Amino acid sequence: MADIKRRDSIQVMVGDVPVGGGAPVVVQSMTNTTTSNVEATVDQIKHLHRAGSEIVRITVNNDEAAQAVPHIKEQLLEDDVNVPIVGDFHYNGHKLLVDYPEAAKALSKFRINPGNTGTKTRDENFCTIVEQAIKHDKPVRIGVNWGSLDQKLLAQKMDANNELENPKSSKQVMLDTMVESARRSAELAENVGLASNKIIISCKMSHVQDVVHVYERIAKMLDYPLHVGLTEAGMGMKGTVASTAALSVLLQQGIGDTIRVSLTPKPGGDRAEEVRICQQVLQSLGIRNFVPQVTACPGCGRTESTYFQELAEEIQEYLREMMPIWRDVYPGVEEMNVAVMGCVVNGPGESRNADIGISLPGTFEEPKAPVYMDGEHYKTLRGDNIGEEFRNILDDYVVNNYGSSNGEEKQQTAHQST
């Protein structure tokens, strides 16, 4: 693991999941189903959790959603899925939590956006939500977002700035307001009676440098755990790259106790993609391991065959498919490195450096594929079933290196389960 000094913070328990205080960085996600549709919401929570989301947030925006929350939790427990569920409250959370105490009990955490708790009654409504958190012994995330920033506080900051001899830019005042809103809201929550080990802070913006700037300031100012992410990151490559850039800069500094990648999915797209990106960021930085990593070359003019690409993708998908079972059966397998290489230039070297690797032949190379285990040549594969043979060798490697005395029986059960 990477030798990154983590920022000291208070530890907050979200259900059974510790956040901050030296605990591993937690991956979380959020459903995009209509919460009142219990079946659809339960199915997506289960899907996100299987992908690796350790906390899942749901929208609680109306009476129907609040009424559904206990049923969602009940169904998850019946299906043996004990993942903490966070309620996302805006505008009317103070009313819903009071009117539907069973929903409050079923949730593991409340998310409060201090900019969306009212206008004239903003602080009063905020305090009501905090009081409900105290009553039901729940932590809260105070989630400041620049798209819904406290306009009263922003106006005060702008007025004060205008009176300065050398006023700041409007952008800088907004950044200052983000930080002040988080600090002020946490102070108010504690004044109401919420313990400091029940508070998590986030300050989300949609531009990388702004997020980095705000979190660097917050990290020095407050000792609550920090939920880190780029809000409204966008779609596809843009959202992935921007989120990775922001998270990587902060995590490398030890800032961030729980993270989310907020991607805009394609219509009908896989919501769990944002979970896998979070995992890959943490794994690429050497902070946590989730799934064995596949090293594969980009390809070049030395090989006309696409087989190494196909096999690399097949092996990566196979590893992800097996991990929900393997992580319980074979402890430590998530740290395994696999190489699938496409020609003789770097193929043998990368394969030797991996725990297990295969070097496929490039154009005009002899049609053979040497396999290496733990730096040593294991055997050479030939013929039309190289992919299947390599996967079988991979299975045996997992059993022999990460399994117990009954590993073969467990491996057979794992295959049957998938």
Side-chain angles (χ1 to χ4, degrees), residues 44-59:
Q44 191 170 93
I45 291 171
K46 289 163 65 175
H47 177 60
L48 292 169
H49 185 53
R50 280 195 301 269
S53 186
E54 295 157 304
I55 297 174
V56 180
R57 182 159 44 115
I58 63 175
T59 295

Side-chain angles (χ1 to χ4, degrees), residues 146 171-172 174-176 178-179 203-218 229-230 246 250:
W146 78 334
K171 178 68 166 294
Q172 186 59 55
M174 179 176 281
L175 297 177
D176 291 346
M178 293 281 293
V179 174
C203 287
K204 289 192 174 183
M205 310 183 80
S206 57
H207 297 304
V208 172
Q209 295 295 351
D210 295 335
V211 166
V212 170
H213 173 84
V214 166
Y215 274 100
E216 286 177 342
R217 290 176 60 184
I218 286 288
L230 193 75
L250 292 169

